[in-house]
Amino acid sequence: TFTYSPMAVAAAVAGFQAEAKCPICLDYLRDPVTIECGHNFCRSCIQQSWADLQDSFPCPVCRHQCQEGHFRSNTQLGRMIEIAKLLHTPQSNKKRQEETPLCEKHSQVLNVFCEEDLAVLCSLCTEAPEHQAHHVRPIEEAASHHRRRLRSYMPSLKKQLVDLQKLISSQRKKPLELRAMVENQRQELSSEFEHLNQFLEREQHAVFSRLAEEEEDIQQKLSANITEFTNYVATLKSQLSKVEELSVLSEVELLSQIKTFYRSENEVSPLVFSIHLKKEGCSFPPQYSALQRIIKKFKVDVILDPETAHPNLIISEDKKCVRFTKKKQKVPDFPQRFTVKPVVLGFPYFYSGRHFWKVEVGDQSEWAIGVCKDSLPTKTRKPPSPRQGCWSIQLRDGGYDAPGAVPTPLQLEVEARGIGVFLDYELGEISFYNMTEKSHICTYSDTFSEPLRPYFRVGPTSKPLKICTE
């Protein structure tokens, strides 16, 4: 003999009662009928479900297409339903009714799930036009499917959580990295300022030495001038005494000695010595003492891009030199080619960092050198400005010009035969140097957010511009 636990019996009873329910109304089957696919329904429920249909009669559970009215009574199932009702207590029946969700539109039990709309429906909802062609399945089957699908997300979500934890851990280390970067940059700046201070001390010592030498020289000249005037005073006193002596002599004696007096009268007074100090000054660029280090550390190999060159420009084979020719070249019509101004751009593109390059400009009267955005218009007739994305220094009509740069106006003590360009992308600065005397010319300050390129403009009277490789 086998003994069953109360829980097992209760489960069996619950399973038996579940099988005795109509899939449409979820209540005990009333006058149960069986359709072609084998599913059972209350006669009134299936008739109501198929009431407005003409050509297609799908099963509310499995969607099998049945013939119109083709269902048969299931008397044996009806007797089993009566037994199931006897096993169902009124209290549990009341609780079941309270827990059973109903369709708000049709007041029918929600028993199927639409996979297209991801919505729980009743059998009448599935017959509506907006759901007729949709894939629906019983709630139990749909819930099981989506539970499996949800579980499939777990490995990916867990991996994302692990990755995020690692990212957070990495980000928490960033302050230490930042501190190290700041300290490294602080040391670099300290080194640059130390070099600058050393230069200032040497420059100060040299200027003061020259000033002291000039002072000594002027003192000697001033003393000599005073001696000359002292001697001249003695001469004047001697002449005065001579005048007094001659004035009391007789006519013959006076006239016989007057020739000597007039001869001594021709002595000229010495010139007054004026003190004039040479103008001493210190003209040096920011980071002057570190300029050689800048060149060595940040020097970049710039070449010209022939596809951007104006038809009147000829690029050398090594792409380091550009010159103007009056005859237009036959060149492909690339969209990036400049067609109005005699301009050519260079490589590489600059997205970040610090970069230095030098250009020989010669001594002719028209050129421009600098940096521009990669998106600089190629057909504009007006000279490009910083607002349009071009920062350059130019020689025009014998004068240097850099609109928007500091200082203004530009004053070069020595004519520039070579121009140094220093780009600091993050700092937002483009500086130009007169490489003839290693002096600072001017600096643009701006904010950069897109690729930049070297910029060259060559006038008809310009000598070839040559990018230095030393």
Side-chain angles (χ1 to χ4, degrees):
T1 61
F2 297 94
T3 59
Y4 297 95
S5 66
M7 290 183 63
V9 173
V13 170
F16 178 60
Q17 292 173 339
E19 291 296 329
K21 300 295 180 61
C22 172
I24 296 178
C25 66
L26 294 186
D27 203 350
Y28 286 113
L29 289 162
R30 298 183 301 276
D31 191 7
V33 295
T34 304
I35 63 176
E36 289 181 0
C37 59
H39 288 109
N40 302 301
F41 303 92
C42 300
R43 182 183 296 274
S44 60
C45 289
I46 192 65
Q47 287 177 340
Q48 184 178 4
S49 177
W50 289 350
D52 298 327
L53 303 181
Q54 297 179 355
D55 300 325
S56 178
F57 300 92
C59 170
V61 175
C62 67
R63 312 299 291 176
H64 175 77
Q65 300 297 324
C66 304
Q67 295 182 8
E68 181 179 4
H70 189 202
F71 51 79
R72 64 181 185 276
S73 297
N74 195 328
T75 307
Q76 184 179 8
L77 181 58
R79 289 195 295 269
M80 294 175 65
I81 300 304
E82 296 302 321
I83 297 173
K85 289 181 179 179
L86 295 175
L87 297 174
H88 207 316
T89 62
Q91 183 177 359
S92 61
N93 184 42
K94 179 179 179 182
K95 182 178 180 181
R96 178 67 179 179
Q97 290 177 350
E98 291 175 352
E99 294 178 352
T100 302
L102 300 178
C103 174
E104 295 181 357
K105 186 175 181 180
H106 303 105
S107 299
Q108 295 289 321
V109 175
L110 299 172
N111 59 346
V112 291
F113 183 74
C114 176
E115 293 292 350
E116 276 76 3
D117 294 331
L118 299 179
V120 182
L121 310 173
C122 72
S123 298
L124 295 179
C125 292
T126 63
E127 308 305 330
E130 60 268 25
H131 295 293
Q132 277 189 354
H134 290 180
H135 175 219
V136 297
R137 58 171 86 184
I139 283 181
E140 295 82 359
E141 180 184 339
S144 176
H145 166 74
H146 286 285
R147 282 195 183 95
R148 289 194 302 272
R149 187 173 179 183
L150 288 173
R151 282 194 292 269
S152 70
Y153 287 112
M154 294 178 66
S156 174
L157 291 173
K158 288 180 179 179
K159 184 179 183 305
Q160 289 184 45
L161 285 173
V162 171
D163 292 342
L164 284 174
Q165 291 295 338
K166 290 180 180 178
L167 178 62
I168 292 171
S169 177
S170 173
Q171 291 297 97
R172 284 175 176 165
K173 295 177 183 178
K174 293 296 183 183
L176 295 176
E177 295 179 17
L178 174 63
R179 191 176 305 165
M181 292 171 64
V182 169
E183 182 59 30
N184 183 54
Q185 189 165 348
R186 184 181 287 113
Q187 291 177 2
E188 289 183 0
L189 290 172
S190 296
S191 176
E192 290 185 6
F193 278 111
E194 182 179 352
H195 282 82
L196 184 59
N197 288 330
Q198 291 174 0
F199 168 79
L200 287 173
E201 289 176 3
R202 291 195 300 270
E203 185 76 4
Q204 181 183 17
H205 178 74
V207 169
F208 286 174
S209 295
R210 291 195 297 271
L211 187 61
E213 291 173 359
E214 188 177 8
E215 181 186 13
E216 184 179 355
D217 180 63
I218 291 175
Q219 285 280 16
Q220 292 176 357
K221 292 178 178 178
L222 186 59
S223 296
N225 190 243
I226 292 173
T227 301
E228 289 178 357
F229 275 104
T230 302
N231 294 335
Y232 188 63
V233 167
T235 300
L236 290 179
K237 286 182 178 180
S238 175
Q239 287 181 346
L240 179 60
S241 298
K242 191 69 174 176
V243 169
E244 290 175 349
E245 291 175 3
L246 291 175
S247 63
V248 297
L249 293 178
S250 64
E251 287 85 350
V252 174
E253 290 176 328
L254 170 65
L255 294 176
S256 61
Q257 297 182 30
I258 195 68
K259 182 178 180 180
T260 305
F261 173 76
Y262 286 147
R263 188 178 297 167
S264 65
E265 186 186 21
N266 293 328
E267 290 192 23
V268 180
S269 172
L271 297 175
V272 177
F273 177 73
S274 299
I275 298 175
H276 293 289
L277 286 176
K278 293 179 182 178
K279 183 65 176 178
E280 288 284 357
C282 299
S283 177
F284 52 89
Q287 300 174 316
Y288 177 84
S289 61
L291 182 56
Q292 292 303 322
R293 258 185 1 148
I294 290 175
I295 296 173
K296 183 177 180 180
K297 186 174 181 180
F298 302 114
K299 178 172 171 284
V300 63
D301 185 20
V302 171
I303 61 173
L304 301 170
D305 179 8
E307 293 186 1
T308 65
H310 186 277
N312 285 102
L313 299 182
I314 296 179
I315 309 299
S316 63
E317 187 175 349
D318 63 358
K319 300 179 183 177
K320 290 286 186 179
C321 185
V322 54
R323 64 183 177 87
F324 188 93
T325 177
K326 293 182 179 179
K327 183 180 179 181
K328 285 193 175 183
Q329 308 299 301
K330 293 182 179 180
V331 291
D333 186 18
F334 294 122
Q336 65 270 30
R337 187 179 300 281
F338 286 81
T339 55
V340 178
K341 295 291 184 180
V343 169
V344 59
L345 302 185
F347 288 123
Y349 293 84
F350 301 122
Y351 299 89
S352 62
R354 290 182 278 185
H355 312 276
F356 179 91
W357 63 97
K358 176 185 172 184
V359 184
E360 290 183 7
V361 296
D363 57 359
Q364 293 301 316
S365 61
E366 189 177 354
W367 50 258
I369 292 170
V371 179
C372 71
K373 293 180 180 179
D374 182 45
S375 59
L376 183 70
T378 59
K379 293 179 172 56
T380 179
R381 294 189 176 275
K382 294 183 179 179
S385 64
R387 180 177 296 179
Q388 294 172 307
C390 184
W391 304 265
S392 66
I393 182 173
Q394 57 185 336
L395 178 63
R396 183 175 56 185
D397 301 328
Y400 296 91
D401 191 21
V406 176
T408 300
L410 304 185
Q411 295 181 347
L412 277 68
E413 297 290 337
V414 178
E415 184 178 0
R417 298 297 183 91
I419 298 291
V421 185
F422 182 53
L423 164 66
D424 190 326
Y425 193 101
E426 281 74 20
L427 190 60
E429 287 188 351
I430 299 172
S431 299
F432 297 92
Y433 295 90
N434 181 350
M435 300 306 293
T436 305
E437 59 174 5
K438 302 293 190 297
S439 64
H440 176 247
I441 301 174
C442 63
T443 295
Y444 286 98
S445 296
D446 214 320
T447 301
F448 310 132
S449 59
E450 60 180 270
L452 303 179
R453 302 183 68 177
Y455 172 89
F456 307 86
R457 179 163 56 81
V458 188
T461 60
S462 298
K463 283 191 174 180
L465 299 182
K466 183 178 180 181
I467 302 169
C468 299
T469 56
E470 302 112 13

